[in-house]
Amino acid sequence: MSESLSRRTLLTAGGAAAALMSLTGCGAVQALRPASGGAGTLVVHSQFNGAVAGADVFRAIVQQYRDTTGRSVATLSNGSDLPIVFETSVLAGKEADVAIINMVGKTLAWTDAEATIPVEGYLGQWGLDTRIEPGAVQEWTTPSGHLRAFPYTRTNWPVAFNTRLLEEAGLEIPLTSADLIDAADRLRSKDIGPVTIGGGDWSGQKLFIQVIQSFLTADEAADVFASGRFSESEGAVAGIRHFAELRDAGVFVDSAQGFTSDSMLTQYNTGKAAIMSSMSSALAKVPADRAAETTIGGWPVPPGAISTRPTVIQSFNGMGVWISENGSRKLDLVEPFVQWLFSDEVVAQFITQSGRDMNAVTDVTSDRFPLVAQAQALAAGDSVDPVILPDLLIPEAVFEPMTQATAQAFGPGTSPEQIVDVLEASYKNA
């Protein structure tokens, strides 16, 4: 980093100063120092942590890399707190050489703040220009033309339908809102939950965003989510009204506003609910017996919608491989490791052993994760309309307030006008 202003910017924006003091005190920053593993050690900081899909595969492929090359790789892992831990280590000049993390929120500022280096110059030089989907490279490129990182995993966000439970209620997969409302009534009469969702966290935010996009073109959606001017968009208002209609008709499980993505997955996996909107990495966690009675589709079409087919959120955004300033001084170690990550062998391991969707060009599918394979086939076909994942458009400071606003939207009694107000307030007050 050429000048300390960029670090101060990160510090001010992210509250990393306090974290730095805290981490310095407990010795955690020292643990992030690349030199702690020796000058010839590559340090990789990733979100492949705990029960995250692919965490086991990542640990295995790193060990394979050590065994086959004889090179030294030290790994660190964090979950959702990785951005603040990484930024803190940047402020201390002790960051890992490589960070593998989602492109969302705080990470969107890293390239411009020089916390990580742009990598477009290495794309062809390292032979990755033919390995990564062109759409992914485009999505990961900043407005000023810099490739933030090497796009690694991607997002495919369909809807899972438990056909056994639907059949018990005398139903087929709902394709329209009328079908969905009818399905909710008949499922409830059988004591089966209809659509389960983590209305209190990001999963509810994403379903809310998906529902209202049925009334927005991609360009209109981009403008609305970037600006927060929901009340000025006829389509956004229509979508919010429709969302409230679905909620009031009992489409979502009771108390959805208090649930999380984990409770959503538990309800679906235990057969307590028949339908869930789920990103593909969560579909990989549906057990085999439940997967056998699941069909993957899209969100039903509302009346008067712009979309003519059920919708699915699709995005090349997932984890990327970022290079830090420390890493830029160790490219002889970074280059072969990144090339190993994008090799056919490693990409195939992630797909077949963890069910991850990848941005690498590949024709490998996973038999072990049939729902992920169904989702991939659905995305490649023409039976659904894709809608955007606006994570790159929503300002970082708005993310959490907006999630709180959408949690209110899932709560009974919140009018469409009140939903618009709290959504716009989340932008104005951020």
Side-chain angles (χ1 to χ4, degrees):
M1 193 175 293
S2 57
E3 206 275 331
S4 61
L5 177 60
S6 295
R7 286 180 178 161
R8 286 199 298 270
T9 302
L10 278 174
L11 199 157
T12 301
L20 174 60
M21 294 176 63
S22 173
L23 290 173
T24 302
C26 68
V29 169
Q30 180 66 26
L32 291 176
R33 180 181 296 173
S36 64
T41 295
L42 178 71
V43 181
V44 180
H45 195 176
S46 85
Q47 281 189 313
F48 285 118
N49 181 45
V52 169
D56 291 345
V57 174
F58 181 71
R59 286 190 288 270
I61 66 102
V62 169
Q63 188 57 48
Q64 291 166 19
Y65 183 78
R66 295 183 183 116
D67 294 342
T68 57
T69 66
R71 295 189 174 101
S72 177
V73 179
T75 59
L76 307 161
S77 63
N78 287 100
S80 58
D81 58 340
L82 190 150
I84 188 66
V85 175
F86 181 81
E87 290 186 7
T88 302
S89 64
V90 168
L91 292 170
K94 298 173 180 177
E95 76 274 15
D97 305 310
V98 169
I100 303 177
I101 183 176
N102 289 337
M103 177 176 61
V104 64
K106 297 172 72 64
T107 64
L108 294 174
W110 283 2
T111 305
D112 289 341
E114 300 179 17
T116 56
I117 65 169
V119 299
E120 64 271 14
Y122 303 115
L123 195 63
Q125 186 178 332
W126 293 358
L128 301 177
D129 51 342
T130 58
R131 289 292 300 139
I132 302 175
E133 292 282 357
V137 173
Q138 180 180 359
E139 188 164 316
W140 281 71
T141 298
T142 68
S144 58
H146 290 307
L147 182 59
R148 292 181 167 94
F150 300 112
Y152 201 51
T153 64
R154 63 192 296 178
T155 301
N156 192 13
W157 210 310
V159 181
F161 298 94
N162 185 315
T163 54
R164 177 181 62 80
L165 295 177
L166 290 174
E167 288 170 3
E168 285 182 13
L171 296 162
E172 296 182 347
I173 292 175
L175 299 177
T176 68
S177 291
D179 294 342
L180 183 60
I181 291 171
D182 178 55
D185 286 341
R186 293 164 72 173
L187 287 166
R188 285 177 177 276
S189 72
K190 298 287 185 181
D191 288 330
I192 301 169
V195 178
T196 180
I197 186 68
D201 71 5
W202 52 268
S203 62
Q205 182 210 55
K206 296 300 184 292
L207 180 56
F208 176 88
I209 284 169
Q210 180 177 359
V211 170
I212 69 173
Q213 281 193 73
S214 293
F215 296 85
L216 297 167
T217 65
D219 287 343
E220 288 171 336
D223 179 66
V224 166
F225 293 119
S227 68
R229 295 191 294 267
F230 292 87
S231 61
E232 298 178 17
S233 166
E234 183 177 337
V237 171
I240 290 168
R241 286 177 177 155
H242 179 66
F243 177 88
E245 290 170 358
L246 294 178
R247 179 202 61 197
D248 294 343
V251 162
F252 308 114
V253 294
D254 295 340
S255 303
Q257 70 276 16
F259 290 155
T260 67
S261 57
D262 288 340
S263 47
M264 174 188 73
L265 189 59
T266 298
Q267 283 196 319
Y268 190 83
N269 286 350
T270 56
K272 302 297 183 185
I275 304 168
M276 71 170 177
S277 170
S278 173
M279 61 195 304
S280 48
S281 58
L283 292 176
K285 296 180 179 180
V286 176
D289 57 344
R290 197 66 63 222
E293 55 193 30
T294 294
T295 294
I296 297 301
W299 186 261
V301 182
I306 288 177
S307 57
T308 58
R309 296 172 290 192
T311 60
V312 171
I313 296 175
Q314 293 178 4
S315 172
F316 292 106
N317 191 0
M319 290 190 199
V321 183
W322 310 65
I323 301 175
S324 72
E325 187 186 39
N326 281 336
S328 71
R329 293 190 285 268
K330 299 165 72 174
L331 293 179
D332 58 326
L333 301 180
V334 174
E335 178 183 353
F337 182 75
V338 173
Q339 290 170 326
W340 167 254
L341 287 178
F342 280 93
S343 66
D344 289 336
E345 176 184 358
V346 171
V347 169
Q349 285 187 67
F350 273 105
I351 294 172
T352 60
Q353 297 178 24
S354 73
R356 275 282 185 180
D357 279 321
M358 307 298 289
N359 280 320
V361 176
T362 179
D363 57 3
V364 174
T365 59
S366 175
D367 293 334
R368 287 179 56 186
F369 301 95
L371 300 187
V372 179
Q374 277 192 52
Q376 292 168 340
L378 187 75
D382 59 4
S383 62
V384 294
D385 283 340
V387 296
I388 66 170
L389 178 71
D391 285 358
L392 303 184
L393 301 167
I394 300 171
E396 177 199 335
V398 175
F399 259 87
E400 184 55 32
M402 187 178 182
T403 299
Q404 295 171 7
T406 52
Q408 292 186 51
F410 277 98
T414 308
S415 70
E417 292 75 19
Q418 289 172 315
I419 295 173
V420 170
D421 286 345
V422 294
L423 284 170
E424 294 192 336
S426 68
Y427 280 72
K428 293 173 182 174
N429 299 331

